Amino acid sequence: MTQPLTLHWSPRSPYVRKVMVCAHELGLTDRIRTVRSVAAMLKPNAALMEDNPLSKIPTLVLEDGSALFDSVVICEYLNDLGQGSLFPASGDAKWQALRWHAMADGFLDTLILWRNERERAQPLQPLMDAFGIKAASVLAQLDREVAALEKAPFTIGTVTIACALGYMDFRYPDYGWREKAPALARWFAVVATRPSMQATVAVDG
């Protein structure tokens, strides 16, 4: 019997969600055992650091005890394991998928740093403003690219965009991103109905 993969996991992390969406798309969820792991920025997790010295999630522990991180590395491993097509092999499709992934992953980095800053007792306003400008710029760019998104297959790029927009709903419910990017909102409304997205909606806990 094949030993399960072990995923250091949280129901709130958009990076973990990216991995789990890929796992669902590839039919690999029954191969993965999830372990609730807290990865707070100010409190390194000693147990997690046994598998990932950076104390970050997601971290995937393989059958031989070795570990993979970060999210995109894990997603590519799962794609190879499941013989999937989430990472196009070559040509324009490859570079478009990787470009969208880079944009959306950077967007997630910005959103998380923005949230950390706003929760400080005295947020630095110029930094808050800079995060806001970057968020608006990414949403505007993606809104302009909806025609391409609609034609594209579901790849690591579109998975990550969808997870970033889901994170906006989870952590920035009053931001009103749909009004700022209405075409993107229509695209997301369709993508959000995928079973992989429905099964991985972020929740507190």
Side-chain angles (χ1 to χ4, degrees):
M1 181 178 180
T2 303
Q3 294 296 313
L5 304 167
T6 299
L7 181 71
H8 288 282
W9 170 94
S10 165
R12 297 176 293 192
S13 167
Y15 304 106
V16 170
R17 187 182 190 190
K18 187 201 308 186
V19 168
M20 292 306 300
V21 168
C22 289
H24 278 278
E25 292 286 333
L26 295 163
L28 295 174
T29 54
D30 61 342
R31 295 279 307 275
I32 298 173
R33 179 176 68 94
T34 57
V35 175
R36 180 70 172 92
S37 301
V38 177
M41 187 173 293
L42 298 179
K43 295 180 180 179
N45 182 331
L48 173 58
M49 291 174 74
E50 292 180 6
D51 294 319
N52 183 344
L54 295 170
S55 188
K56 295 177 71 174
I57 56 174
T59 294
L60 184 70
V61 182
L62 307 182
E63 294 94 334
D64 64 1
S66 63
L68 295 178
F69 41 86
D70 59 1
S71 60
V72 69
V73 175
I74 297 171
C75 290
E76 188 162 8
Y77 174 83
L78 295 178
N79 188 68
D80 285 359
L81 185 65
Q83 300 181 339
S85 57
L86 295 175
F87 287 78
S90 62
D92 291 345
K94 173 181 178 178
W95 300 116
Q96 181 65 286
L98 293 180
R99 174 181 172 273
W100 277 333
H101 173 266
M103 190 188 309
D105 216 47
F107 186 30
L108 280 173
D109 291 344
T110 296
L111 292 174
I112 288 172
L113 291 171
W114 193 9
R115 179 172 179 266
N116 289 341
E117 185 65 23
R118 75 179 183 179
E119 291 186 350
R120 292 178 57 190
Q122 293 182 318
L124 184 62
Q125 194 56 49
L127 190 55
M128 294 288 288
D129 293 343
F131 289 143
I133 289 169
K134 291 178 182 180
S137 179
V138 171
L139 288 168
Q141 181 66 42
L142 290 173
D143 201 57
R144 290 192 292 269
E145 297 187 23
V146 164
L149 285 169
E150 290 175 338
K151 294 177 183 177
F154 204 54
T155 66
I156 190 61
T158 43
V159 166
T160 310
I161 291 170
C163 289
L165 296 176
Y167 188 73
M168 287 290 292
D169 286 342
F170 181 52
R171 292 300 192 195
Y172 295 85
D174 299 325
Y175 182 82
W177 72 265
R178 287 171 174 79
E179 289 71 29
K180 296 175 174 63
L184 185 63
R186 291 192 295 272
W187 173 82
F188 181 65
V190 174
V191 171
T193 65
R194 295 180 75 94
S196 61
M197 292 292 294
Q198 293 284 311
T200 58
V201 174
V203 295
D204 278 314

